[in-house]
């Protein structure tokens, strides 16, 4: 007879473990919900979302993994020992945007006004280090009152650690700052160190010293919005790259920008399927650009005719509008576009335009984004203000950025390309891989009228009919040195193309250059123009 062994009893889960798990869930839920319903209502009353609502809009649904949710500060004094909320006013973690990993931290204004203390800063330090280690973009959702005054120098040191990490991550991973409330004092330097800054009209403000300090020091009366609102930074300071009417639209556009950027500097930008035919001709380009160099037109329309589906994400649209910078796709591949804008100041280069384009070129080069330069430039803006403001120094920034760039670079000259501005706008002589021109191009030291007045000044002055002689000399100069094939004959333009063929020509060029490799000299770092 088989002896049936006695079955061992099932292990009994300790009652205290069940209780502790239940306590854990309650604790984490309280941390997730935040300080109080009243604080949430106050946030919504200002037209602002909570930190977690923002994260939910930014990241793919259900993808957020939080880090140090139960962190609390250790500070004492000024009543802090009695207020130790979980998260310490900042939510940190990672998730995905269209399936790609993105790290994020978001200030929770409901807790200490989003002010930064030691524990708060250490959470941000950790997530920044994780983003660099993982090679993934970092997005900060800023809505805080600056340094936590009660924690003194510890809070200031926390900002120092953030700044140092921004600089170390610069050019390694994309860094995006989204300003969704106040960002004052030292806190404002954090967004300034990142690649892109988004703001929301009416609720975002950035400034080093607030209206009260300005009033006490200078006597000027100014509101927060007029001092550092979204429109101010979009139009006057150039701090804001993008401005939107509401948070939902803003965060949706952050997602779109991320779709155009690589995860890090070791990967190419992500390609996308393209239903726009690579061989598509655009007869409209023949009529969009007047052959007469003095007539204005909107370069945006040219860009939209050339790029995939007309989609062009313009950067700093309202600052230095005489030059356009932005991201688009050609044949599904991301390109950075730098273009003169003839409807504003005739498309001249000046101090602001040079700074704007230089930083954009360096960003593209850092993240392996090929560069397309569309040229229609009469020169640098003349004037005492420009010269005294350092147009030489600032113009050199753009020249330096192009000379330094090792990504694929293609130049297209539509009409005018005069003087030093022609060189600076990525000419073959400073390293463009390919240079194309339309048959309407005019490449010269200066316009025919100005050149003739210099070269033939004596002959014109001594003539019986100066105007007739001047007109004849202008025609001679233009025929001799400014005809459409002059640069091509000297090898400074690779081909003169039919404007309608622009898109297929550019797509073929960038496809060929996709495997470009360039060696850099060995050095600690370069000494860029200030």
């Amino acid at each position: 007879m088989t002896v049936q062994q006695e079955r061992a009893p099932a292990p009994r889960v300790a009652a205290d473990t069940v209780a502790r798990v239940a306590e854990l869930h309650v604790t984490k839920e309280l941390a997730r919900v935040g300080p109080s319903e009243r604080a949430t209502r106050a946030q919504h009353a200002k037209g602002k979302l909570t930190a977690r609502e923002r994260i939910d809009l930014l990241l793919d649904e259900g993808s957020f993994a939080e880090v140090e949710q139960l962190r609390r500060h250790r500070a004492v004094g000024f009543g802090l020992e009695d207020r130790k909320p979980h998260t310490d006013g900042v939510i940190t973690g990672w998730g995905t945007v269209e399936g790609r990993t993105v790290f994020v931290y978001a200030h929770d204004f409901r807790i200490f006004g989003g002010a930064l203390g030691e524990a708060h800063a250490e959470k941000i330090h950790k997530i920044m280090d994780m983003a660099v280690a993982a090679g993934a973009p970092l997005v900060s959702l800023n809505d805080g009152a600056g340094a936590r005054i009660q924690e003194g120098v510890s809070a200031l040191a926390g900002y120092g650690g953030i700044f140092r990490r921004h600089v170390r991550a610069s050019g390694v991973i994309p860094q995006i700052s989204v300003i969704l409330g106040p960002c004052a004092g030292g806190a404002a330097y954090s967004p300034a160190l990142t690649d892109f800054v988004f703001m929301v009209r009416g609720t975002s403000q950035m400034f080093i010293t607030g209206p009260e300090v300005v009033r006490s020091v200078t006597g000027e009366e100014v509101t927060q919005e007029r001092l550092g609102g979204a429109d101010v930074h979009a139009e006057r300071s150039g701090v804001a790259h993008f401005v939107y009417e509401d948070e939902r639209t803003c965060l949706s556009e952050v997602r779109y920008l991320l779709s155009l950027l690589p995860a890090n500097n070791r990967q190419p930008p992500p390609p996308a399927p393209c239903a726009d035919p690579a061989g598509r001709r655009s007869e409209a380009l023949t009529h969009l650009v007047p052959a007469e160099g003095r007539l204005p037109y909107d370069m945006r329309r040219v860009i939209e005719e050339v790029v995939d589906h007309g989609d062009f994400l313009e950067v700093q649209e309202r600052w230095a509008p005489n030059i356009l910078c932005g991201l688009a796709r050609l044949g599904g591949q991301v390109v950075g576009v730098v273009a003169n804008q003839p409807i504003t100041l005739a498309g001249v280069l000046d101090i602001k335009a040079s700074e704007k384009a230089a930083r954009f070129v360096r960003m593209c080069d850092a993240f392996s984004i090929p560069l397309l330069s569309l040229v229609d430039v009469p020169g640098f803006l003349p004037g005492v203000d420009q010269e005294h403001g350092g147009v030489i120094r600032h113009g050199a920034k753009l020249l330096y950025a192009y000379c330094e760039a090792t990504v694929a670079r293609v130049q297209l000259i539509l009409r005018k390309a005069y003087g030093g501005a022609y060189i600076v706008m990525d000419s073959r002589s400073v390293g463009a891989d390919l240079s194309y021109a339309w048959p309407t191009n005019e490449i010269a030291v200066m316009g025919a009228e100005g050149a003739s007045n210099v070269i033939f000044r004596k002959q014109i002055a001594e003539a019986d009919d100066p105007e007739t002689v001047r007109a004849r000399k202008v025609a001679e100069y233009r025929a001799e040195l400014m005809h459409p094939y002059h640069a091509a004959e000297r090898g400074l333009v690779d081909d003169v193309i039919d404007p309608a063929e622009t898109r297929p020509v550019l797509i073929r060029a960038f496809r060929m250059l996709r495997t470009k490799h360039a060696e850099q000299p060995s050095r600690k770092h370069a000494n860029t123009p200030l």
Side-chain angles (χ1 to χ4, degrees):
M1 183 178 65
T2 304
V3 178
Q4 187 176 15
Q5 296 182 342
E6 185 179 348
R7 181 175 297 174
R12 190 171 68 87
V13 178
D16 61 339
T17 302
V18 174
R20 291 188 182 189
V21 170
E23 181 186 25
L24 170 66
H25 288 302
V26 170
T27 301
K28 296 188 82 168
E29 178 62 15
L30 289 173
R32 190 192 65 79
V33 170
S36 68
E37 182 60 32
R38 178 181 177 184
T40 301
R41 287 198 302 269
Q43 180 81 348
H44 288 164
K46 297 173 184 175
K48 302 194 298 182
L49 300 174
T50 66
R52 293 189 186 276
E53 289 170 338
R54 291 163 176 166
I55 290 172
D56 288 342
L57 287 173
L58 173 67
L59 301 177
D60 296 338
E61 185 177 356
S63 69
F64 183 56
E66 190 168 353
V67 175
E68 295 193 1
Q69 183 186 53
L70 303 182
R71 185 74 180 262
R72 286 173 159 172
H73 71 76
R74 298 170 294 181
V76 295
F78 305 102
L80 284 179
E81 62 272 16
D82 300 322
R83 299 177 61 199
K84 294 190 174 184
H86 291 301
T87 75
D88 199 45
V90 64
I91 300 166
T92 58
W94 76 89
T96 60
V97 172
E98 296 185 4
R100 302 165 68 219
T101 300
V102 173
F103 287 80
V104 61
Y105 68 87
H107 300 294
D108 190 341
F109 193 82
R110 301 172 302 165
I111 298 175
F112 298 127
L116 181 140
E118 182 181 28
H120 183 120
E122 288 175 352
K123 288 182 66 175
I124 296 175
H125 296 169
K126 178 172 183 175
I127 213 66
M128 295 178 79
D129 291 340
M130 291 176 68
V132 173
L138 174 71
V139 179
S140 62
L141 306 179
N142 297 266
D143 185 7
R148 196 174 298 169
I149 299 172
Q150 299 95 320
E151 294 196 33
V153 70
S154 296
L156 298 179
Y159 273 124
I162 293 173
F163 302 157
R164 179 166 56 90
R165 286 168 172 81
H166 277 313
V167 174
R168 291 182 64 186
S170 181
V172 178
I173 58 170
Q175 299 180 86
I176 298 173
S177 296
V178 190
I179 314 303
L180 299 169
C183 185
Y189 285 115
S190 175
L193 292 170
T194 60
D195 298 302
F196 298 99
V197 175
F198 287 72
M199 296 186 75
V200 175
R201 185 173 287 109
T203 55
S204 303
Q205 298 95 32
M206 293 177 68
F207 38 73
I208 299 299
T209 53
E212 295 80 8
V213 177
V214 170
R215 185 184 307 113
S216 65
V217 174
T218 70
E220 296 174 277
E221 294 286 343
V222 65
T223 64
Q224 288 190 351
E225 192 66 22
R226 283 185 53 231
L227 181 62
D231 289 327
V232 169
H233 288 307
E235 296 176 5
R236 304 192 65 178
S237 73
V239 171
H241 297 82
F242 304 98
V243 171
Y244 297 100
E245 294 293 333
D246 60 85
E247 292 191 19
R248 293 180 183 274
T249 304
C250 179
L251 292 169
S252 175
E253 290 300 300
V254 174
R255 287 176 59 90
Y256 179 54
L257 173 61
L258 285 166
S259 75
L260 296 169
L261 298 175
N264 55 64
N265 64 345
R266 300 183 302 278
Q267 298 181 10
C274 179
D276 194 345
R280 171 174 59 80
R281 285 174 56 88
S282 178
E283 302 296 344
L285 291 175
T286 307
H287 309 289
L288 277 178
V289 180
E292 169 54 53
R294 294 180 179 178
L295 295 178
Y297 64 93
D298 189 349
M299 184 67 83
R300 286 190 192 90
R301 294 186 62 193
V302 174
I303 296 170
E304 290 166 358
E305 278 293 321
V306 172
V307 302
D308 294 356
H309 307 292
D311 292 333
F312 177 57
L313 180 61
E314 189 171 349
V315 177
Q316 292 178 300
E317 178 180 354
R318 294 159 62 191
W319 189 65
N322 43 317
I323 199 160
L324 306 179
C325 299
L327 297 171
R329 292 184 184 273
L330 278 172
Q333 302 295 324
V334 179
V335 295
V337 181
V338 178
N340 306 113
Q341 174 57 295
I343 61 171
T344 304
L345 296 175
V348 297
L349 291 178
D350 59 3
I351 289 172
K352 290 181 179 179
S354 298
E355 286 191 340
K356 172 181 172 178
R359 193 163 193 271
F360 182 77
V361 167
R362 299 197 77 195
M363 184 281 298
C364 289
D365 188 50
F367 294 112
S368 302
I369 299 172
L371 284 162
L372 170 62
S373 301
L374 302 178
V375 183
D376 189 348
V377 62
F380 279 89
L381 181 65
V384 174
D385 288 345
Q386 287 290 306
E387 296 294 345
H388 289 185
V391 68
I392 296 171
R393 177 166 51 87
H394 294 286
K397 294 178 182 178
L398 180 55
L399 178 60
Y400 192 102
Y402 270 125
C403 289
E404 181 186 44
T406 60
V407 292
R409 292 155 52 188
V410 177
Q411 179 197 51
L412 173 63
I413 301 167
L414 285 68
R415 285 195 317 191
K416 307 177 297 296
Y418 293 161
Y422 154 68
I423 303 171
V424 169
M425 284 297 296
D426 204 20
S427 64
R428 280 280 304 279
S429 58
V430 299
D433 297 293
L434 288 167
S435 178
Y436 296 106
W438 285 1
T440 46
N441 80 82
E442 291 184 351
I443 306 172
V445 175
M446 62 178 67
E449 291 80 4
S452 298
N453 288 337
V454 173
I455 298 172
F456 308 112
R457 181 179 62 251
K458 186 175 181 180
Q459 295 179 46
I460 294 171
E462 293 175 350
D464 294 335
D465 186 353
E467 291 306 315
T468 300
V469 173
R470 179 182 288 108
R472 186 171 68 251
K473 294 301 182 182
V474 166
E476 289 177 7
Y477 183 87
R478 182 173 281 117
E480 182 68 24
L481 294 177
M482 296 180 64
H483 63 82
Y485 313 105
H486 183 75
E489 291 170 357
R490 284 151 182 80
L492 297 174
V493 165
D494 291 287
D495 198 9
V496 180
I497 66 172
D498 178 351
E501 288 290 325
T502 298
R503 174 177 166 82
V505 167
L506 293 177
I507 288 176
R508 285 196 301 269
F510 281 116
R511 280 179 179 170
M512 178 275 294
L513 291 166
R514 198 172 298 167
T515 55
K516 175 187 175 183
H517 175 73
E519 294 289 343
Q520 288 284 64
S522 177
R523 59 187 173 192
K524 183 177 181 182
H525 61 73
N527 188 16
T528 61
L530 291 176

